Amino acid sequence: KTEIIILNIIALLYIFRSAYPAFKYPSLLLSFIFIPYVLVKNRKYFLITTRNFIRNYVFIIVIAIILLISFLFSDKIFLVMFKEVVSMIILLVIFYISTFIVTSKGKLNYFSHISLSLIILIALYLSIVNLKGIFGANKSVFYDGQEIDYNFALLPIFYGFLGILFYLKRTKRRGSHLISAAILLLYSFYIFLAGSRRGLILLLII
């Protein structure tokens, strides 16, 4: 179970790095430690797991290889394209490592549960940090020196929003409902102040 939690942390922090660029540093640091550990621990199953992974996801792997080859043989090397290729490789490796860890339906259910819980916590963290920036010192979200579109940066918040709504349908405890309502209110408050018209429209729809 610990491995599933760590895998989720690595994957979600890297996926949500566009909303909060600092997330990529702990994600990459954990990856450099965790991936070799998983490979060494499961070295007996390396060949069969790799073969099954290639067979099941051959289409995705072929697309990734084509993108990598087109980048390597391109006359002009673009920084944006290089970043996309690196991101694609990292996500593919994380997905590959998950095949060593999530090996049963029970583990898959636990993986989904942890993913949802972490998304809610990450969204809560981002809401608090960005609200603090709005009411305190001037703060902008940057990725490699470029300001990120808040329409995109709000995605983790909406994922957390949907995650709480999902949990509300599965629990009848009053305390959980009160806590969930407070978190939803915080999400909504940040979305309202973020300055994204699309975010506001989506919030009204939800």
Side-chain angles (χ1 to χ4, degrees):
K1 289 186 176 181
T2 302
E3 292 178 350
I4 292 177
I5 295 173
I6 295 174
L7 177 65
N8 265 293
I9 292 173
I10 291 172
L12 290 175
L13 289 182
Y14 193 76
I15 290 171
F16 291 148
R17 73 194 185 283
S18 296
Y20 197 74
F23 279 166
K24 64 186 174 184
Y25 299 114
S27 175
L28 292 175
L29 179 61
L30 281 173
S31 297
F32 288 135
I33 299 172
F34 185 66
I35 291 175
Y37 161 77
V38 172
L39 292 177
V40 171
K41 181 183 177 182
N42 298 277
R43 58 187 179 276
K44 293 182 180 179
Y45 311 102
F46 179 78
L47 291 178
I48 187 171
T49 302
T50 302
R51 184 170 62 248
N52 290 335
F53 177 79
I54 294 173
R55 183 177 58 194
N56 294 332
Y57 304 101
V58 61
F59 183 69
I60 297 175
I61 295 172
V62 168
I63 292 177
I65 292 174
I66 292 174
L67 182 60
L68 180 61
I69 291 174
S70 64
F71 168 74
L72 293 175
F73 288 93
S74 175
D75 293 333
K76 299 180 179 179
I77 304 299
F78 295 99
L79 181 60
V80 174
M81 187 175 178
F82 174 74
K83 291 178 181 179
E84 293 299 324
V85 170
V86 172
S87 296
M88 173 199 65
I89 294 173
I90 292 174
L91 290 174
L92 201 58
V93 169
I94 292 174
F95 189 49
Y96 168 67
I97 290 299
S98 70
T99 60
F100 287 95
I101 299 171
V102 185
T103 56
S104 65
K105 185 176 181 181
K107 290 183 178 180
L108 180 60
N109 291 335
Y110 184 70
F111 179 89
S112 302
H113 170 72
I114 293 299
S115 294
L116 202 57
S117 300
L118 286 174
I119 287 172
I120 292 171
L121 290 176
I122 290 173
L124 180 61
Y125 172 80
L126 291 175
S127 297
I128 293 173
V129 167
N130 287 309
L131 281 173
K132 183 180 178 181
I134 290 173
F135 289 107
N138 292 330
K139 175 180 176 296
S140 297
V141 180
F142 287 93
Y143 177 68
D144 292 342
Q146 294 184 351
E147 190 172 355
I148 292 176
D149 184 355
Y150 272 96
N151 295 316
F152 187 80
L154 285 175
L155 283 178
I157 312 301
F158 281 110
Y159 290 147
F161 205 108
L162 294 175
I164 288 185
L165 293 179
F166 175 79
Y167 273 136
L168 285 175
K169 293 181 179 180
R170 298 168 62 94
T171 181
K172 296 182 179 179
R173 289 183 294 181
R174 187 175 180 181
S176 298
H177 280 251
L178 291 174
I179 294 173
S180 298
I183 295 175
L184 287 175
L185 183 61
L186 184 65
Y187 288 168
S188 302
F189 190 48
Y190 169 59
I191 292 170
F192 179 77
L193 295 178
S196 170
R197 285 183 293 179
R198 293 191 182 102
L200 284 174
I201 293 172
L202 188 55
L203 178 62
L204 292 174
I205 292 174
I206 296 177

